[in-house]
Amino acid sequence: MPSSRQRKTFDLVIAANRLPVDKVTTETGQTEWRRSPGGLVTAMESVMQSQPGAWVGWPGDDEEAPEPFEQDGVYLVPIQLTSEEVRHYYEGFSNDTLWPIFHDVIVPASFHREWWSAYQRVNQRFAEAVAEVAAPGARVWVQDYQLQLVPAAIRRLRPDVRVGWFNHIPFPPVELFAQLPWRSQLLEGLLGADFLGFQRVADAQNFVRSCRRFLPVDTKGGTVSLKDGSGRRVRAGAVPISIDFKGLEALARTPAVEARAKEIRASLGDPEILMLGVDRLDYTKGIRHRLKAYEELLADGRLGPPETTLVQVATPSRERVDAYRQLREDVEQTVGRINGEQGQIGAPAVHYLHHSYPREEMAALFRAADVMLVTPLRDGMNLVAKEYVTCRYDLGGALVLSEFTGAWHELHQTFSCNPHDIEGLKQTILRAINTPEAQKRRIMRSLRRRVSDHDVQRWAARFLDALEVAPARGEDAS
Ligand code: ADP
Ligand code: F6P
């Protein structure tokens, strides 16, 4: 709907399901803006700090959206969702249909036509808001699986802009993507972009294979040529995301964070081995598998409090979706059982924290942990793994990392695990504890080199360069 308001326009516009901040109404009725959860915000926040631009996104509730406003140099454009749209577009289609399909169907996906209608409606609303704030010839950077119809919708409204899309999560193999009743429409939505970025080469290949299978297109390598008379070619490629290495390392080096790391260890009774898990409470993260391996190590007498303890930070996430509710129940029951059976007075075996924390506290936790457990069953990247090594400028600590994360493709020199193999996971945890310090330092040095050379600034530059050189309309079409 055209607006009577005169909006500012920008040469760079980000569209993401969430704004970088969530609107929260406190108990006293005050409105507060709090940092939104997840890796997308962590990465894009630091990208937007270095260049002017607008960010179109949902403020995280179902109330009337506030007018656009500026925060930390970024022009935020809130998109309103009704409570039904939150249920159907966000919790439903995005997180109960697409999320399971894009993560190996770890839990079954649900298909509902009214969810699909809401997804179409909300994607169109995002595209209209983008069209309003994009300057002539602007670069528009659409984010993630919640907005797969936005690229084509923007192209219809504003054929003058360059459109890129980046998928923060995996792209499924064609056999799983095939289950989606709306598979062709989703692909057509994405093909409105000039460049499509994925975490891994395999994700880009999966996308191209799906195009070949379900649409009348030609494909060659990472290029999809449309046969709709437009002569357009769309490029798909791998551009793995990262973190702000310099900024986070500087934070980790501050005396306050160092002091807090010591304080955390002291308040846990100065254990010999402090293990840490930090995840959104999501079934993709392999938290149940991690706890099972740890519980068995305790039961076998290989590990035990007070010498060893595990801190599991589990950020609340998508709490009204059944699979997430079930996961929370399972995790909390397991933690209770482990502590009941293996804990001691003053020395629980697991410290379970269901909260969000400031960045300083996260850095202090990473500084404090001897072993970081990152055990997803499937994860597009996993920025926590990269954050941990970034904070370990002392070369201390050890990272246990699942082969099923995007991060593993860059950090596979580390202590790798297959979380489905509980016996193997137990052995890997013990190896991460018992490997000689000198060897662990060598591993940590090489992990850090990789993250430092491939930070989020480089990721953004690579993505925007690829968008720049992707073929324009009709160009080099054969
Ligand atoms: P995802 O995007 O699936 O949540 P990532 O590992 O890629 O997973 O990113 C998670 C981001 O959220 C990281 O930057 C991490 O530090 C942050 N984070 C995770 N848990 C918390 C928490 N409890 N409090 C604050 N930040 C958190
Ligand atoms: O990358 C996956 C993702 O859905 C991101 O879009 C977001 O950063 C994160 O997970 C958190 O999810 P939600 O926005 O549903 O809380």
Side-chain angles (χ1 to χ4, degrees):
M1 204 182 351
S3 156
S4 53
R5 292 184 303 267
Q6 190 59 44
R7 288 241 163 122
K8 291 186 180 177
T9 60
F10 295 84
D11 291 327
L12 176 64
V13 180
I14 304 294
N17 172 56
R18 278 186 193 276
L19 287 174
V21 281
D22 265 352
K23 186 159 144 276
V24 179
T25 308
T26 64
E27 278 168 15
T28 57
Q30 308 278 91
T31 295
E32 267 181 28
W33 291 91
R34 292 192 197 144
R35 189 162 186 272
S36 308
L40 185 155
V41 166
T42 303
M44 293 313 297
E45 239 184 356
S46 31
V47 170
M48 294 303 277
Q49 273 162 15
S50 56
Q51 44 200 326
W55 182 318
V56 176
W58 170 51
D61 65 10
D62 57 6
E63 288 168 17
E64 195 180 331
E67 283 298 302
F69 60 101
E70 198 165 310
Q71 179 166 300
D72 298 332
V74 185
Y75 188 70
L76 304 184
V77 182
I79 297 288
Q80 182 168 351
L81 300 188
T82 63
S83 57
E84 189 192 84
E85 285 166 345
V86 173
R87 277 186 286 114
H88 291 182
Y89 149 77
Y90 169 69
E91 293 166 350
F93 198 78
S94 296
N95 291 316
D96 210 1
T97 306
L98 295 173
W99 185 266
I101 293 280
F102 281 51
H103 288 90
D104 293 356
V105 200
I106 296 167
V107 305
S110 310
F111 304 107
H112 295 292
R113 280 162 285 184
E114 64 274 27
W115 291 2
W116 167 242
S117 300
Y119 186 82
Q120 289 174 288
R121 204 166 53 242
V122 172
N123 271 239
Q124 182 63 26
R125 192 173 308 149
F126 269 79
E128 285 166 11
V130 168
E132 262 194 75
V133 287
R139 293 165 304 169
V140 176
W141 191 352
V142 183
Q143 312 287 326
D144 235 355
Y145 63 100
Q146 302 97 338
L147 303 181
Q148 293 180 70
L149 304 179
V150 170
I154 293 175
R155 186 166 293 281
R156 285 191 291 273
L157 293 164
R158 289 288 305 273
D160 60 299
V161 301
R162 295 290 275 172
V163 185
W165 176 80
F166 182 77
N167 197 29
H168 292 252
I169 67 173
F171 198 90
V174 69
E175 295 75 11
L176 295 182
F177 190 75
Q179 290 184 18
L180 284 163
W182 309 279
R183 59 201 184 188
S184 306
Q185 291 99 312
L186 289 167
L187 295 173
E188 283 161 359
L190 291 175
L191 288 174
D194 298 288
F195 176 70
L196 299 161
F198 297 86
Q199 299 281 23
R200 298 171 312 150
V201 174
D203 296 313
Q205 289 171 338
N206 286 345
F207 167 75
V208 172
R209 282 191 200 117
S210 283
C211 288
R212 200 159 57 226
R213 167 96 179 266
F214 301 119
L215 296 180
V217 294
D218 286 329
T219 67
K220 189 171 176 205
T223 304
V224 181
S225 304
L226 277 62
K227 294 207 249 174
D228 59 356
S230 68
R232 288 187 56 243
R233 299 182 131 202
V234 180
R235 287 265 155 82
V239 193
I241 199 169
S242 196
I243 57 154
D244 177 13
F245 183 88
K246 283 201 189 75
L248 182 58
E249 190 191 284
L251 177 68
R253 282 181 184 273
T254 56
V257 166
E258 272 307 298
R260 177 65 188 142
K262 290 204 178 77
E263 194 176 85
I264 289 171
R265 287 192 75 100
S267 60
L268 294 169
D270 274 322
E272 279 167 30
I273 306 295
L274 169 53
M275 298 204 273
L276 175 66
V278 171
D279 315 81
R280 265 185 316 101
L281 196 37
D282 194 305
Y283 51 81
T284 58
K285 303 287 183 184
I287 303 171
R288 285 186 271 228
H289 296 63
R290 185 184 310 165
L291 289 175
K292 186 167 175 55
Y294 180 57
E295 184 173 21
E296 287 190 16
L297 285 168
L298 296 173
D300 298 347
R302 312 289 295 269
L303 298 176
E307 292 81 13
T308 308
T309 195
L310 167 66
V311 172
Q312 175 63 54
V313 179
T315 325
S317 187
R318 307 171 189 169
E319 294 196 290
R320 295 192 306 189
V321 179
D322 277 346
Y324 289 77
R325 233 194 308 250
Q326 184 61 51
L327 173 71
R328 181 171 175 187
E329 269 178 42
D330 288 355
V331 166
E332 294 186 353
Q333 211 174 57
T334 307
V335 168
R337 187 181 60 235
I338 296 176
N339 279 334
E341 288 174 7
Q342 307 290 344
Q344 298 174 6
I345 287 178
V350 188
H351 297 257
Y352 171 75
L353 304 160
H354 188 240
H355 302 288
S356 267
Y357 292 99
R359 272 161 47 81
E360 292 74 8
E361 183 72 1
M362 301 307 291
L365 280 163
F366 293 141
R367 296 281 315 127
D370 301 300
V371 178
M372 181 79 217
L373 300 174
V374 179
T375 60
L377 308 179
R378 180 58 70 197
D379 205 336
M381 175 49 66
N382 198 283
L383 293 181
V384 165
K386 292 187 171 181
E387 290 173 347
Y388 179 65
V389 304
T390 299
C391 290
R392 299 318 303 244
Y393 60 84
D394 60 338
L395 305 183
L399 170 67
V400 170
L401 181 60
S402 160
E403 293 164 28
F404 303 111
T405 60
W408 182 82
H409 294 266
E410 298 177 69
L411 305 177
H412 49 79
Q413 314 89 314
T414 195
F415 297 91
S416 303
C417 69
N418 166 4
H420 297 282
D421 170 10
I422 297 297
E423 202 47 50
L425 178 54
K426 286 162 65 181
Q427 295 308 322
T428 307
I429 293 173
L430 292 176
R431 262 196 318 116
I433 294 172
N434 296 324
T435 295
E437 284 307 311
Q439 196 179 334
K440 286 203 253 188
R441 291 170 71 82
R442 274 198 297 279
I443 296 173
M444 188 55 80
R445 185 177 286 115
S446 78
L447 303 181
R448 286 174 50 75
R449 195 173 307 126
R450 170 74 202 189
V451 181
S452 140
D453 289 347
H454 295 79
D455 63 3
V456 74
Q457 286 79 10
R458 177 164 166 179
W459 167 75
R462 278 187 63 198
F463 184 92
L464 293 171
D465 286 352
L467 178 58
E468 187 72 35
V469 301
R473 190 187 177 90
E475 186 189 309
D476 86 3
S478 49

